[in-house]
Amino acid sequence: MALAAVGGAALGAVFGTLLDGVVAVTSKAIMFKSHLRDLKFTLDSFQQVDEDVGQHPNIVFRPMQGLERFRIQMEKGAQLVDKCSKVRPWKLNAFKKPMYTSKLVALNASLNTLLSVLTVHIISDLRARMINVETTLNHIDANIVAQYQNQYQNQIRGWCAIPEPPPFTVGLDVRVRELKMELLRDEASMLVVTGLGGCGKTTLAQMICKDQKVKEKFKDYIFFITVSKKSNCLVVQELCRKTGSLVPSFQEEAIAFNWLQEFLNIPEQDPILLVLDDVYPDSDSLLDKLDEVKRPNHNILVTSRVQFPRFGPAYPLGTLEQGDAMTLFRHSASWTDRSSHILDNLVEQIVQLCKGFPLAITTIGRSVCEQPTEIWEKRVAELSKGSSILDSEDYLLACLKSSLDALDERMPIIKECFIDLASFPEDRSIPAVALIDMWAELYGLDEDFWSIANIHELTNRNLANLVTRNGKMELDSYYNEHFVTQHDMLRNLAIHQTGQDIIGQRKRLIIDICDDNLPNWWKEHKNKPKKTRLLSISTDGSSSAKWHNMHLPKAEVLVLNFQTENYVLPKFVKRMSKLKVLIVTNYGVLQADLSNFNLLGSLPNLKRIRLERISIPSVSKNSMQLKSLQKISLFMCSVGQAFSNSSIQILEAFPNLVELNIDYCNDLVELPAKLCDLIRLKKLSITNCHKLSALPKEIGQLDNVEVLRLRSCVNLEGLPGSIKNLTRLDFLDISNCFSMKELPEDIGEMSGLRKINMGQCSRLKELPLSVLHLGKLREVICDDETKELWGEPFKPSLTNLHITVVKEDFNLNWLHNL
């Protein structure tokens, strides 16, 4: 029979035993008669398949894999049927009957699954041998389905139409053309359309399925399945139903995937377009299987809030252009032609406040549809004053929040990281290194790559964007030019999440202050934030920083964002005894003076300080000791006068400093010798300081330094000879040091050096012979020109050395929204 043909004689014999047993006891086992009758019907369906196969006696069918489980179940099934035949009604208690019944139901479901897989497998082999496909397919499937339709209402065959796209769409035509070109190629492809919920992914997929050229190519083989949170087994069942096959109850993914593989591998099949809509991260195993078994005529279109980068480049759907956004809003807000009654300036204001997000535009448009002008004006006023659209539009909130809910179980820390992004002002790029400092202390991510990996996770889920100066990811863990951006609607979502708890219970306290309008709870000293671990305060250019007192006994991170030329640290900082991270960012144009900096001397646990666009001379006037401080980062600060102040005892102020970062500090001409007193320093990064011309000769005293970055210090002409004493130095970065003419003669004494980045050092013409003594050197990053320096005699002698050539692309566009 058919089972013996594809599964071996043992499987065929067990099937025969089970069938004989069911036939023998159906009329006797009165307590289980209906279940045994259903089982008999399923077994008869196998015989019908066997009769159809018997019409082709000369065909040798391929063996099927994974049938051992079915053989064991049939053996147990035969034993179960025998037990049922011996049960007497007067001896059967209330507990045993349900047990026997459930086992019979499970056995029948397993056989239904095998029947469906077997049918597809046989059809595949018949087609492979040039048999009349349509006749065979219709004969086998139609006979079985006709019987099943009489017995099972949930097991039907039928075609479900592709969902119709909305009658009105904007901004998708270009994407439709791009994706259609990919789908019309005679190649296998998996295309992933990605974006936030409500940006038009499903509509785009529906438009593609309804395109005339797409329908001409794929004909009746377009299958549209909404995945969402369905299990892989349910998704395959849905595909079964839409192909007109039997709908088995798959108990295991392996069996479902077996059916899927058999279906997709039917030879000479017409091209297939399988659309998987709203795919969640948990369904990546389904995409893996589809990618594994796809054939040249298979095309898979995926829509998801996740990018799934391993399946190829994503096609992101972003916000609408201004013109399209206006068109969508007018349509949503006016069901009839009321253009003469719509005030253009109100429309434009609302569209701007929605930031081009389609679902927000549609939601607000519908909320003011057919409403008086005063309602429109009220809506604009509410949004302009900072009222979140998410507070009043439940559907929009639910749509966005579903992306976060998917993180709750699998990646709770990623969700926390997402909410932390709201600590920074809207429409501003967030320095990745600032997030590294925050997350190192909040979540114990003590290695920088953990934080960057979390940002990538957010990017893959379209909850943030990671951008770099030149659009390339770095090769040497240099993250100063990595920034995170985020749509304002997502920031609103994060703030909405923080507001779910009362003030006293919030882990984060995010305060945006316009003028001097403080929150009432703060002014009235109510709901003290006793559990807050992260405090963020953002002020505009007109705030006077008249702080009220606040007690934050558990705060570990303080983020202060401002725009004024003078800024005063809040006095309550002095009482934040558990504070570990301070991030102060001036978003104004010029460097700002910072007052009350001496308050930090009262913080016994402060480990990390990051200052941006701050005048360091104003800070250096205050003498203090920060014994726990381990890291200082200065970005676009004025540092020249502070470093030239001989009264500052750096070692006394920062006795345990292990990392110092100075970036884009353009008044730094010479690094002071007293920095070399920081004997515990392990990382020294001085980058993009274009006026720096020399390093102190005492730099060799920093014998614990493991990383020395001097990237893009374009006036730096050389390195002091004492650098040879840095025997623990693991990585030296002198990339883009255009003026550097030579390396120290004794550089070979840096016995721990493992990696050098020397790209774009165009005036460097030769290497010292002592380079041959760098026995631990494993990697050199360079450009085409400097690569030539590593020829004879160096490369042949340094046998473990790997040279990576990179091309530099200078682009400062990323600075526009810092």
Side-chain angles (χ1 to χ4, degrees):
M1 64 176 300
L3 275 177
V6 299
L11 184 62
V14 172
F15 175 84
T17 301
L18 175 60
L19 177 60
D20 292 343
V22 171
V23 171
V25 306
T26 299
S27 60
K28 299 177 183 178
I30 301 175
M31 297 294 294
F32 309 103
K33 191 170 184 178
S34 62
H35 294 291
L36 289 170
R37 187 186 299 117
D38 292 343
L39 193 58
K40 172 67 164 52
F41 174 79
T42 302
L43 295 172
D44 287 343
S45 297
F46 277 93
Q47 291 187 309
Q48 179 63 58
V49 173
D50 196 50
E51 291 177 11
D52 292 321
V53 170
Q55 297 179 22
H56 310 285
N58 297 324
I59 292 182
V60 178
F61 291 93
R62 291 173 298 131
M64 285 182 65
Q65 302 299 318
L67 297 183
E68 177 64 16
R69 167 179 170 273
F70 289 106
R71 185 189 65 78
I72 295 173
Q73 286 181 330
M74 286 185 191
E75 287 181 346
K76 293 182 178 179
Q79 296 171 5
L80 174 64
V81 169
D82 183 60
K83 289 180 181 179
C84 290
S85 69
K86 298 176 182 178
V87 171
R88 298 294 176 262
W90 56 86
K91 292 185 178 181
L92 191 66
N93 60 43
F95 297 102
K96 285 191 176 182
K97 182 178 179 180
M99 179 184 69
Y100 285 121
T101 298
S102 62
K103 288 184 178 181
L104 287 171
V105 171
L107 175 62
N108 196 33
S110 178
L111 290 174
N112 280 324
T113 299
L114 177 58
L115 179 61
S116 180
V117 174
L118 176 66
T119 302
V120 175
H121 181 84
I122 291 172
I123 294 170
S124 175
D125 275 8
L126 291 176
R127 284 187 170 177
R129 289 154 181 82
M130 304 299 291
I131 302 297
N132 187 325
V133 174
E134 295 301 327
T135 302
T136 306
L137 173 61
N138 292 337
H139 192 197
I140 294 177
D141 257 355
N143 283 338
I144 297 172
V145 174
Q147 298 176 56
Y148 266 71
Q149 285 178 332
N150 294 330
Q151 295 290 325
Y152 302 104
Q153 293 299 316
N154 65 325
Q155 291 186 346
I156 61 173
R157 56 179 302 183
W159 167 259
C160 292
I162 303 299
E164 291 288 337
F168 183 84
T169 60
V170 295
L172 296 176
D173 292 341
V174 173
R175 277 298 189 205
V176 169
R177 288 196 296 270
E178 291 176 350
L179 293 168
K180 185 172 68 173
M181 289 178 61
E182 293 293 332
L183 294 173
L184 293 178
R185 294 180 180 179
D186 293 329
E187 299 176 3
S189 63
M190 182 181 292
L191 309 178
V192 180
V193 177
T194 183
L196 288 173
C199 68
K201 302 183 298 294
T202 299
T203 299
L204 176 63
Q206 292 168 347
M207 291 173 66
I208 289 173
C209 291
K210 293 297 182 178
D211 181 86
Q212 187 59 38
K213 290 187 177 179
V214 172
K215 290 195 292 185
E216 289 174 359
K217 176 178 179 178
F218 297 102
K219 301 181 178 63
D220 291 335
Y221 288 91
I222 301 176
F223 306 105
F224 193 106
I225 298 175
T226 301
V227 178
S228 295
K229 295 183 178 180
K230 295 175 185 173
S231 68
N232 291 338
C233 289
L234 288 177
V235 173
V236 178
Q237 280 183 320
E238 181 76 1
L239 181 59
C240 287
R241 182 171 67 88
K242 294 193 174 187
T243 59
S245 300
L246 295 176
V247 184
S249 298
F250 295 118
Q251 300 299 313
E252 297 179 8
E253 274 193 1
I255 304 303
F257 286 160
N258 194 356
W259 183 96
L260 182 64
Q261 183 169 355
E262 293 291 340
F263 171 71
L264 292 176
N265 284 336
I266 294 177
E268 298 186 9
Q269 188 178 59
D270 288 333
I272 291 176
L273 174 57
L274 175 59
V275 180
L276 300 176
D277 184 43
D278 194 24
V279 175
Y280 273 52
D282 291 338
S283 297
D284 55 354
S285 59
L286 175 62
L287 300 186
D288 277 325
K289 189 63 179 180
L290 288 168
D291 190 56
E292 175 187 331
V293 302
K294 69 177 185 287
R295 296 168 64 92
N297 59 350
H298 294 166
N299 293 269
I300 302 163
L301 178 61
V302 175
T303 74
S304 178
R305 302 177 191 197
V306 184
Q307 293 185 7
F308 297 115
R310 69 176 180 273
F311 299 112
Y315 290 79
L317 277 187
T319 55
L320 294 174
E321 298 290 341
Q322 179 72 7
D324 289 333
M326 294 280 286
T327 301
L328 179 60
F329 182 82
R330 288 181 182 277
H331 176 80
S332 302
S334 180
W335 298 107
T336 60
D337 185 10
R338 300 175 57 232
S339 59
S340 60
H341 302 289
I342 298 176
L343 300 177
D344 287 343
N345 62 332
L346 288 178
V347 174
E348 190 168 344
Q349 288 180 64
I350 292 177
V351 169
Q352 288 177 349
L353 290 167
C354 291
K355 300 297 178 70
F357 188 56
L359 186 58
I361 294 170
T362 302
T363 302
I364 296 183
R366 290 173 178 170
S367 72
V368 298
C369 179
E370 301 294 343
Q371 295 293 328
T373 302
E374 290 79 7
I375 298 295
W376 290 53
E377 292 174 329
K378 176 186 176 183
R379 201 77 174 99
V380 171
E382 290 172 344
L383 294 174
S384 299
K385 289 181 179 180
S387 175
S388 174
I389 184 178
L390 301 181
D391 292 333
S392 58
E393 303 296 344
D394 293 340
Y395 176 70
L396 177 59
L397 172 62
C399 187
L400 292 175
K401 189 173 177 294
S402 61
S403 296
L404 287 187
D405 294 340
L407 295 174
D408 273 332
E409 296 181 1
R410 299 184 67 204
M411 298 179 172
I413 289 183
I414 303 300
K415 180 179 179 179
E416 298 296 320
C417 290
F418 166 78
I419 299 175
D420 289 339
L421 299 183
S423 305
F424 299 85
E426 67 179 21
D427 297 325
R428 298 287 186 175
S429 294
I430 305 171
V433 286
L435 299 173
I436 288 173
D437 287 341
M438 291 170 55
W439 295 342
E441 302 303 332
L442 288 174
Y443 312 122
L445 307 182
D446 50 358
E447 294 289 346
D448 292 356
F449 67 82
W450 283 107
S451 295
I452 298 300
N454 286 354
I455 297 173
H456 280 295
E457 293 286 359
L458 291 172
T459 299
N460 289 340
R461 285 159 176 75
N462 294 291
L463 295 171
N465 295 304
L466 179 61
V467 297
T468 61
R469 177 177 66 86
N470 56 13
K472 301 176 182 177
M473 295 295 119
E474 295 291 345
L475 297 175
D476 56 12
S477 302
Y478 176 67
Y479 302 123
N480 281 25
E481 294 174 4
H482 288 56
F483 298 88
V484 178
T485 62
Q486 187 180 50
H487 193 281
D488 291 349
M489 202 63 64
L490 289 172
R491 184 176 187 270
N492 289 340
L493 175 62
I495 292 176
H496 185 275
Q497 290 295 109
T498 66
Q500 299 307 296
D501 298 321
I502 62 174
I503 297 295
Q505 302 297 316
R506 292 182 186 177
K507 294 185 293 185
R508 300 172 192 78
L509 204 53
I510 299 174
I511 306 172
D512 292 336
I513 301 174
C514 295
D515 296 326
D516 285 322
N517 297 319
L518 302 182
N520 288 333
W521 62 263
W522 192 359
K523 291 186 292 185
E524 298 170 3
H525 301 286
K526 295 180 179 179
N527 299 317
K528 295 181 180 180
K530 298 179 180 179
K531 294 187 177 182
T532 297
R533 296 185 65 197
L534 187 159
L535 171 64
S536 168
I537 303 177
S538 299
T539 57
D540 61 12
S542 57
S543 297
S544 60
K546 295 180 180 178
W547 308 105
H548 287 260
N549 195 25
M550 190 188 307
H551 183 47
L552 299 135
K554 294 187 177 182
E556 298 176 61
V557 176
L558 175 60
V559 180
L560 300 172
N561 309 302
F562 66 94
Q563 302 178 39
T564 55
E565 294 183 8
N566 296 282
Y567 190 77
V568 181
L569 281 181
K571 290 184 179 180
F572 59 74
V573 169
K574 186 176 182 179
R575 301 175 61 193
M576 300 173 70
S577 59
K578 291 190 176 182
L579 189 68
K580 297 178 181 178
V581 181
L582 173 65
I583 300 172
V584 182
T585 305
N586 166 26
Y587 288 99
V589 177
L590 303 175
Q591 280 88 2
D593 287 333
L594 186 63
S595 305
N596 277 355
F597 200 77
N598 60 312
L599 296 176
L600 303 185
S602 304
L603 305 178
N605 295 300
L606 187 60
K607 294 182 180 180
R608 299 167 183 256
I609 296 177
R610 174 181 168 82
L611 305 178
E612 182 171 335
R613 290 191 178 94
I614 302 296
S615 175
I616 302 304
S618 66
V619 173
S620 61
K621 295 175 184 176
N622 304 284
S623 60
M624 65 189 124
Q625 188 178 53
L626 299 174
K627 291 184 178 181
S628 297
L629 194 65
Q630 298 178 6
K631 180 179 179 181
I632 298 177
S633 299
L634 308 175
F635 181 74
M636 289 188 173
C637 293
S638 296
V639 299
Q641 295 182 33
F643 284 160
S644 63
N645 187 347
S646 58
S647 64
I648 299 178
Q649 300 300 318
I650 291 182
L651 180 59
E652 183 178 338
F654 315 122
N656 295 301
L657 195 69
V658 296
E659 183 172 353
L660 177 60
N661 299 294
I662 304 173
D663 193 26
Y664 280 100
C665 296
N666 289 329
D667 66 337
L668 180 62
V669 177
E670 185 175 353
L671 199 66
K674 53 191 161 187
L675 279 180
C676 301
D677 294 337
L678 297 171
I679 55 175
R680 296 183 184 274
L681 204 64
K682 291 185 177 182
K683 293 183 180 181
L684 177 59
S685 177
I686 307 170
T687 56
N688 299 293
C689 295
H690 297 157
K691 294 183 180 180
L692 181 67
S693 58
L695 298 179
K697 62 182 180 180
E698 294 87 354
I699 198 168
Q701 297 175 16
L702 299 173
D703 55 2
N704 284 308
V705 166
E706 298 171 0
V707 175
L708 177 59
R709 295 186 189 275
L710 303 168
R711 171 185 297 225
S712 298
C713 293
V714 295
N715 276 333
L716 189 63
E717 297 182 355
L719 302 173
S722 67
I723 200 173
K724 67 180 182 180
N725 297 327
L726 304 183
T727 56
R728 291 187 176 89
L729 190 69
D730 178 82
F731 177 38
L732 174 64
D733 184 357
I734 56 173
S735 60
N736 300 321
C737 291
F738 305 128
S739 299
M740 189 163 295
K741 301 176 183 178
E742 59 183 8
L743 297 178
E745 286 295 329
D746 297 328
I747 193 173
E749 296 185 25
M750 300 169 69
S751 55
L753 194 61
R754 184 188 59 84
K755 183 177 180 179
I756 301 176
N757 188 342
M758 55 185 299
Q760 304 301 322
C761 292
S762 55
R763 299 188 68 181
L764 196 62
K765 301 303 180 184
E766 61 179 359
L767 301 177
L769 288 176
S770 66
V771 167
L772 292 169
H773 300 148
L774 296 174
K776 292 186 178 180
L777 189 63
R778 294 293 181 269
E779 183 176 3
V780 172
I781 302 173
C782 57
D783 54 59
D784 288 323
E785 187 175 349
T786 51
K787 177 185 177 181
E788 301 300 323
L789 302 179
W790 291 90
E792 295 286 348
F794 304 107
K795 187 64 169 69
S797 300
L798 301 171
T799 54
N800 294 318
L801 180 63
H802 176 73
I803 297 178
T804 302
V805 177
V806 296
K807 296 186 181 297
E808 191 69 18
D809 180 18
F810 296 99
N811 184 345
L812 297 181
N813 292 338
W814 58 278
L815 286 169
H816 78 281
N817 59 349
L818 289 177

